[in-house]
Amino acid sequence: MLGDLIRYLVAVVVLPAFGYALGLRAHGGRPAPAGACLLTMFFAFCLSWVFVPPGALMHEPGVVQGTAFVALFPLRFGTSMITSKETPPAVLACRRRT
């Protein structure tokens, strides 16, 4: 878990720095982006604890990784990472097609 926390810390430092180098600027001063980074780290750390009991029971890293992938796979489709958030499919938007 300490290794995960260090990995999250590195990601929270590197990604905003890279975005700043590309010209992205956060609105709201410094407290808002810092709070967002801390909230992201907290959520990721809490979510990683979900996989500690299965990891202790399964004893095989590959099995644990496969189980985690299957468990987290549906969450990836609930984000705007793959498609535009302005035009979701009718099933996700909960509206009828006309």
Side-chain angles (χ1 to χ4, degrees):
M1 292 306 297
L2 182 61
D4 279 346
L5 191 60
I6 291 169
R7 184 171 49 114
Y8 303 145
L9 181 64
V10 169
V12 163
V13 170
V14 170
L15 289 175
F18 190 67
Y20 189 82
L22 290 176
L24 299 174
R25 301 294 182 263
H27 299 287
R30 293 184 186 194
C37 288
L38 288 174
L39 184 63
T40 301
M41 279 186 57
F42 177 73
F43 178 75
F45 188 68
C46 290
L47 188 62
S48 65
W49 275 102
V50 171
F51 297 104
V52 169
L57 294 174
M58 293 180 194
H59 301 292
E60 292 290 328
V63 175
V64 176
Q65 185 177 7
T67 304
F69 177 77
V70 170
L72 293 176
F73 188 71
L75 295 177
R76 292 185 177 107
F77 290 107
T79 67
S80 60
M81 179 173 71
I82 297 173
T83 61
S84 173
K85 63 182 178 180
E86 285 81 22
T87 57
V91 174
L92 293 178
C94 298
R95 62 180 177 204
R96 289 187 195 183
R97 292 184 182 180
T98 57

